[in-house]
Amino acid sequence: MAMVANEIEALIKAALPDARVVVEDLAGDGDHYAATVVSEQFRGMNRVRQHKIVYAALQGRMGGELHALALQTSVPE
């Protein structure tokens, strides 16, 4: 079963409560999304570590319910 954007956003915000999260369904199929996540908790981390935190927040749904996620992460300016 595919995921909906607000479900992805809720999982990320549960792990990163301060995050600004924008999720976009790229193909309209509930399987291919893009997410932008901005969090102070990323400060001092490299991009790989930031992405690992977001993927961990998805609790194993990547590759199953969620087929693809184009991810952009950053710290607030």
Side-chain angles (χ1 to χ4, degrees):
M1 181 171 188
M3 294 184 74
V4 293
N6 64 351
E7 206 177 346
I8 296 166
E9 181 180 347
L11 287 168
I12 295 169
K13 285 190 172 198
L16 299 162
D18 74 313
R20 286 188 319 230
V21 181
V22 177
V23 179
E24 178 186 359
D25 187 342
L26 296 175
D29 61 3
D31 272 341
H32 299 82
Y33 288 94
T36 302
V37 183
V38 180
S39 174
E40 183 61 39
Q41 293 182 53
F42 293 148
R43 191 165 303 280
M45 294 180 188
N46 65 37
R47 188 84 27 137
V48 171
R49 181 70 184 127
Q50 294 173 13
H51 286 207
K52 284 183 178 182
I53 290 170
V54 174
Y55 289 132
L58 297 173
Q59 302 173 356
R61 289 175 172 88
M62 277 303 305
E65 295 173 64
L66 180 58
H67 177 71
L69 180 66
L71 188 56
Q72 291 185 353
T73 57
S74 64
V75 296
E77 294 184 7

Coordinates of all heavy atoms in Angstrom, one line a residue:
M1 N 0.8 -1.2 0.0 CA 0.0 0.0 0.0 C 0.9 1.2 0.0 O 1.9 1.3 0.7 CB -0.9 0.0 1.2 CG -1.8 1.1 1.3 SD -3.0 0.8 2.7 CE -4.0 2.2 2.4
A2 N 0.6 2.2 -0.8 CA 1.3 3.4 -1.0 C 1.1 4.3 0.2 O 0.1 4.2 0.9 CB 0.9 4.1 -2.3
M3 N 2.1 5.3 0.4 CA 2.0 6.2 1.5 C 1.4 7.5 1.0 O 1.6 7.8 -0.2 CB 3.3 6.5 2.1 CG 3.9 5.3 2.8 SD 5.5 5.6 3.7 CE 4.9 6.6 5.1
V4 N 0.9 8.4 1.8 CA 0.4 9.7 1.5 C 1.4 10.7 2.1 O 2.1 10.4 3.0 CB -1.0 10.0 1.9 CG1 -2.0 9.1 1.1 CG2 -1.2 9.8 3.4
A5 N 1.5 11.9 1.4 CA 2.5 12.9 1.8 C 2.4 13.3 3.3 O 3.4 13.4 4.0 CB 2.3 14.1 0.9
N6 N 1.2 13.4 3.8 CA 1.1 13.9 5.2 C 1.6 12.8 6.2 O 2.0 13.1 7.3 CB -0.3 14.4 5.6 CG -1.4 13.3 5.5 OD1 -1.2 12.2 5.0 ND2 -2.6 13.7 5.9
E7 N 1.5 11.5 5.8 CA 2.0 10.4 6.6 C 3.6 10.5 6.7 O 4.1 10.3 7.7 CB 1.6 9.1 5.9 CG 1.5 7.9 6.8 CD 1.0 6.7 6.0 OE1 0.5 6.8 4.9 OE2 1.2 5.6 6.6
I8 N 4.2 10.8 5.5 CA 5.6 10.9 5.5 C 6.0 12.1 6.3 O 7.0 12.0 7.2 CB 6.1 11.1 4.0 CG1 5.8 9.9 3.2 CG2 7.6 11.5 4.0 CD1 5.9 10.1 1.7
E9 N 5.4 13.2 6.2 CA 5.6 14.4 7.0 C 5.5 14.1 8.5 O 6.4 14.5 9.3 CB 4.7 15.6 6.6 CG 5.0 16.8 7.3 CD 4.0 18.0 6.9 OE1 3.3 17.8 5.9 OE2 4.0 19.0 7.6
A10 N 4.5 13.5 8.9 CA 4.2 13.2 10.3 C 5.4 12.3 10.9 O 5.8 12.5 12.0 CB 2.9 12.5 10.5
L11 N 5.8 11.3 10.1 CA 6.9 10.4 10.6 C 8.2 11.2 10.8 O 8.9 11.1 11.8 CB 7.1 9.3 9.6 CG 6.1 8.2 9.6 CD1 6.3 7.3 8.4 CD2 6.1 7.4 10.9
I12 N 8.5 12.1 9.8 CA 9.7 12.9 9.9 C 9.6 13.9 11.1 O 10.6 14.0 11.9 CB 10.0 13.6 8.6 CG1 10.3 12.6 7.5 CG2 11.1 14.6 8.8 CD1 10.3 13.2 6.1
K13 N 8.5 14.5 11.3 CA 8.3 15.5 12.4 C 8.3 14.8 13.7 O 8.7 15.4 14.7 CB 7.0 16.3 12.2 CG 7.2 17.4 11.1 CD 6.0 18.3 11.1 CE 6.3 19.5 10.2 NZ 5.5 20.6 10.4
A14 N 7.9 13.6 13.8 CA 7.9 12.8 15.1 C 9.4 12.6 15.5 O 9.7 12.7 16.7 CB 7.2 11.5 14.9
A15 N 10.3 12.4 14.5 CA 11.7 12.2 14.8 C 12.5 13.5 15.0 O 13.4 13.6 15.7 CB 12.3 11.3 13.7
L16 N 12.0 14.5 14.2 CA 12.7 15.8 14.2 C 11.6 16.9 14.5 O 11.1 17.6 13.5 CB 13.3 16.1 12.9 CG 14.4 15.1 12.5 CD1 14.7 15.2 11.0 CD2 15.7 15.4 13.3
P17 N 11.2 17.1 15.7 CA 10.0 18.0 16.0 C 10.2 19.4 15.6 O 9.2 20.1 15.3 CB 9.9 17.9 17.5 CG 10.6 16.6 17.9 CD 11.7 16.4 16.9
D18 N 11.4 19.9 15.5 CA 11.7 21.3 15.0 C 11.7 21.5 13.5 O 11.8 22.6 13.0 CB 13.0 21.8 15.6 CG 14.2 21.2 14.9 OD1 14.2 20.0 14.6 OD2 15.1 22.0 14.5
A19 N 11.6 20.4 12.8 CA 11.8 20.4 11.3 C 10.7 21.1 10.6 O 9.5 21.0 10.9 CB 12.0 19.0 10.8
R20 N 11.1 21.8 9.5 CA 10.2 22.3 8.5 C 10.2 21.2 7.4 O 11.3 20.9 6.9 CB 10.6 23.6 7.9 CG 10.3 24.8 8.9 CD 10.6 26.1 8.2 NE 11.8 26.0 7.4 CZ 12.8 26.9 7.4 NH1 12.8 27.9 8.2 NH2 13.9 26.7 6.6
V21 N 9.1 20.6 7.1 CA 9.1 19.5 6.1 C 8.1 19.8 5.0 O 6.9 20.2 5.3 CB 8.6 18.2 6.8 CG1 8.6 17.0 5.9 CG2 9.5 17.9 8.0
V22 N 8.6 19.7 3.8 CA 7.7 19.8 2.6 C 7.8 18.6 1.8 O 8.9 18.2 1.5 CB 8.1 21.1 1.8 CG1 7.2 21.1 0.5 CG2 8.0 22.3 2.6
V23 N 6.7 17.9 1.6 CA 6.7 16.7 0.8 C 5.8 16.8 -0.4 O 4.7 17.4 -0.3 CB 6.1 15.5 1.7 CG1 6.1 14.2 0.9 CG2 6.9 15.3 3.0
E24 N 6.4 16.4 -1.6 CA 5.7 16.5 -2.8 C 5.6 15.2 -3.5 O 6.6 14.5 -3.6 CB 6.5 17.5 -3.7 CG 5.9 17.7 -5.1 CD 6.8 18.6 -6.0 OE1 7.8 19.0 -5.5 OE2 6.4 18.8 -7.1
D25 N 4.4 14.8 -4.0 CA 4.2 13.6 -4.7 C 4.6 13.9 -6.2 O 4.0 14.6 -6.9 CB 2.8 13.1 -4.7 CG 2.5 11.8 -5.3 OD1 3.4 11.3 -6.0 OD2 1.4 11.2 -5.0
L26 N 5.7 13.3 -6.6 CA 6.3 13.6 -7.9 C 5.6 13.0 -9.1 O 5.5 13.6 -10.1 CB 7.8 13.1 -7.9 CG 8.7 13.8 -7.0 CD1 10.1 13.1 -7.1 CD2 8.8 15.3 -7.3
A27 N 5.0 11.8 -8.9 CA 4.4 11.1 -10.0 C 2.9 11.0 -9.9 O 2.2 10.4 -10.7 CB 5.0 9.8 -10.2
G28 N 2.3 11.4 -8.7 CA 0.9 11.2 -8.5 C 0.5 9.8 -8.2 O -0.7 9.4 -8.2
D29 N 1.5 8.9 -7.9 CA 1.2 7.5 -7.7 C 1.4 7.1 -6.2 O 1.2 5.9 -5.9 CB 2.1 6.7 -8.6 CG 3.6 6.8 -8.3 OD1 3.9 7.6 -7.4 OD2 4.4 6.2 -9.0
G30 N 1.7 8.0 -5.3 CA 1.9 7.6 -3.9 C 3.1 6.8 -3.7 O 3.3 6.3 -2.6
D31 N 4.0 6.7 -4.6 CA 5.2 5.9 -4.5 C 6.5 6.7 -4.7 O 7.6 6.3 -4.2 CB 5.3 4.8 -5.5 CG 4.6 3.5 -5.1 OD1 4.4 3.4 -3.9 OD2 4.3 2.7 -5.9
H32 N 6.4 7.9 -5.4 CA 7.6 8.7 -5.7 C 7.4 10.1 -5.2 O 6.6 10.8 -5.7 CB 7.8 8.7 -7.2 CG 8.0 7.4 -7.8 ND1 7.0 6.5 -8.1 CD2 9.2 6.7 -8.1 CE1 7.5 5.4 -8.6 NE2 8.9 5.5 -8.6
Y33 N 8.2 10.4 -4.1 CA 8.1 11.7 -3.5 C 9.4 12.4 -3.5 O 10.5 11.8 -3.6 CB 7.7 11.5 -2.0 CG 6.3 11.0 -1.8 CD1 5.9 9.7 -1.7 CD2 5.2 12.0 -1.8 CE1 4.6 9.3 -1.6 CE2 3.9 11.6 -1.6 CZ 3.6 10.2 -1.5 OH 2.3 9.9 -1.3
A34 N 9.3 13.7 -3.2 CA 10.5 14.6 -2.9 C 10.2 15.2 -1.6 O 9.0 15.6 -1.3 CB 10.7 15.6 -4.0
A35 N 11.2 15.3 -0.7 CA 11.0 15.9 0.6 C 12.2 16.9 0.8 O 13.3 16.6 0.6 CB 11.0 14.9 1.7
T36 N 11.8 18.0 1.4 CA 12.8 19.0 1.8 C 12.6 19.1 3.4 O 11.5 19.3 3.8 CB 12.5 20.4 1.2 OG1 12.6 20.2 -0.2 CG2 13.6 21.4 1.7
V37 N 13.7 18.8 4.1 CA 13.7 18.8 5.5 C 14.7 19.8 6.1 O 15.9 19.6 5.8 CB 13.9 17.4 6.1 CG1 13.8 17.4 7.6 CG2 13.0 16.4 5.5
V38 N 14.3 20.8 6.8 CA 15.2 21.8 7.4 C 15.1 21.6 8.9 O 14.0 21.8 9.5 CB 14.8 23.2 7.0 CG1 15.7 24.2 7.6 CG2 14.8 23.3 5.4
S39 N 16.2 21.4 9.6 CA 16.2 21.1 11.0 C 17.5 21.6 11.6 O 18.6 21.4 11.1 CB 16.0 19.7 11.3 OG 16.1 19.4 12.7
E40 N 17.4 22.3 12.8 CA 18.5 22.7 13.5 C 19.3 21.5 14.0 O 20.5 21.5 14.2 CB 18.1 23.5 14.7 CG 19.2 24.1 15.6 CD 20.2 25.0 14.8 OE1 19.7 25.8 14.0 OE2 21.4 24.9 15.0
Q41 N 18.7 20.4 14.2 CA 19.3 19.1 14.6 C 20.4 18.6 13.6 O 21.3 17.8 14.0 CB 18.3 18.0 14.9 CG 17.4 18.4 16.1 CD 16.4 17.3 16.4 OE1 16.8 16.2 16.6 NE2 15.2 17.6 16.5
F42 N 20.3 19.1 12.4 CA 21.3 18.7 11.4 C 22.6 19.5 11.5 O 23.6 19.1 10.8 CB 20.7 18.9 10.0 CG 19.6 18.0 9.6 CD1 18.6 18.5 8.7 CD2 19.5 16.7 10.1 CE1 17.6 17.7 8.4 CE2 18.4 15.9 9.7 CZ 17.4 16.4 8.9
R43 N 22.6 20.5 12.3 CA 23.8 21.4 12.3 C 25.0 20.6 12.7 O 25.0 19.8 13.7 CB 23.6 22.5 13.3 CG 24.7 23.6 13.2 CD 24.4 24.9 13.9 NE 23.2 25.5 13.4 CZ 23.0 26.3 12.3 NH1 24.1 26.4 11.5 NH2 21.9 26.9 12.0
G44 N 26.1 20.8 12.0 CA 27.4 20.1 12.2 C 27.4 18.7 11.6 O 28.5 18.0 11.7
M45 N 26.4 18.2 11.0 CA 26.3 16.9 10.4 C 26.6 17.0 8.9 O 26.1 17.9 8.3 CB 25.0 16.2 10.6 CG 24.6 15.9 12.0 SD 23.0 15.1 12.1 CE 22.7 15.1 13.8
N46 N 27.2 15.9 8.4 CA 27.3 15.9 6.9 C 26.0 15.4 6.3 O 25.1 14.9 7.0 CB 28.5 15.0 6.5 CG 28.3 13.6 6.8 OD1 27.3 13.0 6.8 ND2 29.4 12.9 7.1
R47 N 25.9 15.6 5.0 CA 24.6 15.3 4.3 C 24.2 13.9 4.5 O 23.1 13.5 4.6 CB 24.8 15.7 2.8 CG 23.6 15.6 2.0 CD 22.7 16.9 2.1 NE 23.4 18.1 2.4 CZ 23.3 19.2 1.8 NH1 22.4 19.4 0.8 NH2 23.9 20.3 2.2
V48 N 25.2 12.9 4.4 CA 24.9 11.5 4.6 C 24.2 11.2 5.9 O 23.2 10.5 6.0 CB 26.2 10.7 4.4 CG1 25.9 9.2 4.7 CG2 26.7 10.8 2.9
R49 N 24.8 11.8 7.0 CA 24.2 11.6 8.3 C 22.8 12.2 8.4 O 21.9 11.6 9.0 CB 25.2 12.2 9.4 CG 24.7 12.0 10.8 CD 24.8 10.6 11.2 NE 24.2 10.4 12.5 CZ 23.3 9.5 12.9 NH1 22.9 8.7 12.0 NH2 22.8 9.5 14.1
Q50 N 22.6 13.4 7.8 CA 21.3 14.0 7.8 C 20.3 13.1 7.1 O 19.2 12.8 7.7 CB 21.4 15.3 7.1 CG 22.2 16.4 7.8 CD 22.4 17.6 7.0 OE1 21.7 17.8 6.0 NE2 23.3 18.5 7.4
H51 N 20.7 12.5 6.0 CA 19.7 11.7 5.2 C 19.5 10.4 6.0 O 18.3 9.9 6.0 CB 20.3 11.4 3.9 CG 20.2 12.5 2.9 ND1 20.1 12.4 1.6 CD2 20.2 13.9 3.2 CE1 20.1 13.6 1.0 NE2 20.1 14.5 1.9
K52 N 20.5 9.8 6.7 CA 20.2 8.6 7.5 C 19.2 8.9 8.6 O 18.4 8.0 8.9 CB 21.6 8.1 8.1 CG 22.4 7.4 7.1 CD 23.7 6.9 7.7 CE 24.6 6.2 6.7 NZ 25.8 5.6 7.4
I53 N 19.3 10.0 9.2 CA 18.3 10.4 10.2 C 16.9 10.4 9.7 O 15.9 9.9 10.3 CB 18.7 11.7 10.9 CG1 19.9 11.5 11.8 CG2 17.5 12.3 11.8 CD1 20.5 12.8 12.3
V54 N 16.7 11.0 8.5 CA 15.4 11.1 7.9 C 14.9 9.7 7.5 O 13.8 9.3 7.8 CB 15.4 12.0 6.7 CG1 14.0 12.0 5.9 CG2 15.7 13.5 7.1
Y55 N 15.8 8.9 6.9 CA 15.4 7.5 6.5 C 15.0 6.7 7.7 O 14.1 5.9 7.7 CB 16.5 6.8 5.7 CG 16.6 7.4 4.3 CD1 17.9 7.7 3.8 CD2 15.5 7.6 3.5 CE1 18.0 8.3 2.5 CE2 15.7 8.1 2.2 CZ 16.9 8.4 1.7 OH 17.1 9.0 0.5
A56 N 15.7 6.9 8.8 CA 15.4 6.2 10.1 C 14.0 6.6 10.6 O 13.3 5.8 11.1 CB 16.5 6.4 11.2
A57 N 13.7 7.9 10.4 CA 12.4 8.4 10.8 C 11.2 7.7 10.1 O 10.1 7.6 10.6 CB 12.3 9.9 10.6
L58 N 11.5 7.2 8.9 CA 10.5 6.5 8.1 C 10.3 5.1 8.5 O 9.4 4.4 7.9 CB 10.9 6.6 6.6 CG 11.0 8.0 6.0 CD1 11.5 8.0 4.6 CD2 9.6 8.7 6.1
Q59 N 11.0 4.6 9.5 CA 10.7 3.3 10.2 C 10.6 2.2 9.3 O 9.7 1.3 9.3 CB 9.5 3.5 11.0 CG 9.5 4.6 12.1 CD 8.2 4.8 12.8 OE1 7.2 4.2 12.5 NE2 8.3 5.7 13.7
G60 N 11.6 2.0 8.3 CA 11.6 0.9 7.5 C 10.7 0.9 6.3 O 10.6 -0.1 5.6
R61 N 10.0 2.0 6.1 CA 9.0 2.0 5.0 C 9.7 2.2 3.6 O 9.1 2.0 2.6 CB 8.0 3.1 5.2 CG 7.0 2.7 6.4 CD 6.1 3.8 6.7 NE 5.1 3.4 7.6 CZ 5.2 3.5 8.9 NH1 6.4 3.9 9.5 NH2 4.2 3.1 9.7
M62 N 10.9 2.7 3.6 CA 11.6 2.9 2.3 C 11.8 1.5 1.6 O 12.2 0.6 2.3 CB 13.0 3.5 2.5 CG 13.0 5.0 2.7 SD 12.3 6.0 1.3 CE 13.2 5.4 -0.1
G63 N 11.5 1.5 0.4 CA 11.7 0.3 -0.4 C 10.5 -0.7 -0.3 O 10.4 -1.7 -1.0
G64 N 9.5 -0.3 0.6 CA 8.3 -1.1 0.7 C 7.1 -0.2 0.3 O 6.8 0.0 -0.8
E65 N 6.5 0.4 1.4 CA 5.4 1.3 1.1 C 5.8 2.6 0.4 O 5.0 3.1 -0.3 CB 4.8 1.8 2.5 CG 4.1 0.7 3.3 CD 3.7 1.2 4.7 OE1 2.9 2.0 4.7 OE2 4.3 0.7 5.6
L66 N 7.0 2.9 0.6 CA 7.6 4.1 -0.1 C 8.7 3.7 -1.0 O 9.7 3.3 -0.6 CB 8.1 5.1 1.0 CG 8.7 6.4 0.5 CD1 7.7 7.2 -0.3 CD2 9.1 7.3 1.7
H67 N 8.4 3.8 -2.3 CA 9.4 3.3 -3.3 C 10.6 4.2 -3.5 O 11.7 3.8 -3.6 CB 8.7 3.1 -4.6 CG 9.6 2.6 -5.7 ND1 10.1 1.4 -5.7 CD2 10.1 3.3 -6.8 CE1 10.9 1.2 -6.8 NE2 10.9 2.4 -7.5
A68 N 10.3 5.5 -3.6 CA 11.4 6.5 -3.9 C 11.2 7.8 -3.2 O 10.1 8.3 -3.1 CB 11.5 6.7 -5.4
L69 N 12.3 8.4 -2.6 CA 12.2 9.6 -1.9 C 13.4 10.5 -2.3 O 14.6 10.1 -1.9 CB 12.2 9.5 -0.4 CG 12.1 10.7 0.4 CD1 10.8 11.5 0.2 CD2 12.3 10.4 1.9
A70 N 13.2 11.5 -3.1 CA 14.3 12.4 -3.4 C 14.4 13.4 -2.2 O 13.4 14.0 -1.9 CB 14.0 13.2 -4.7
L71 N 15.5 13.4 -1.6 CA 15.7 14.1 -0.3 C 16.6 15.3 -0.3 O 17.7 15.1 -0.8 CB 16.1 13.1 0.8 CG 16.1 13.4 2.2 CD1 14.8 13.9 2.7 CD2 16.6 12.2 3.0
Q72 N 16.2 16.4 0.2 CA 17.1 17.5 0.4 C 17.0 17.9 1.9 O 15.9 18.1 2.4 CB 16.6 18.7 -0.4 CG 16.8 18.5 -1.9 CD 16.5 19.8 -2.7 OE1 16.0 20.8 -2.1 NE2 16.7 19.8 -4.0
T73 N 18.2 18.0 2.5 CA 18.2 18.4 3.9 C 19.1 19.6 4.1 O 20.1 19.8 3.4 CB 18.7 17.2 4.8 OG1 20.0 16.8 4.3 CG2 17.8 16.0 4.8
S74 N 18.8 20.4 5.2 CA 19.7 21.5 5.5 C 19.3 22.0 6.9 O 18.4 21.6 7.5 CB 19.4 22.6 4.5 OG 18.1 23.1 4.5
V75 N 20.2 23.0 7.3 CA 19.9 23.6 8.6 C 19.3 25.0 8.3 O 19.4 25.5 7.2 CB 21.2 23.8 9.4 CG1 21.8 22.5 9.8 CG2 22.2 24.7 8.7
P76 N 18.5 25.5 9.3 CA 17.9 26.8 9.1 C 19.0 27.9 8.8 O 20.1 27.9 9.4 CB 17.2 27.1 10.4 CG 17.1 25.8 11.1 CD 18.2 25.0 10.6
E77 N 18.6 28.9 8.0 CA 19.6 30.0 7.8 C 19.4 31.1 8.8 O 18.4 31.3 9.4 CB 19.3 30.6 6.4 CG 19.7 29.6 5.3 CD 19.6 30.2 3.9 OE1 19.3 31.4 3.8 OE2 19.8 29.4 3.0

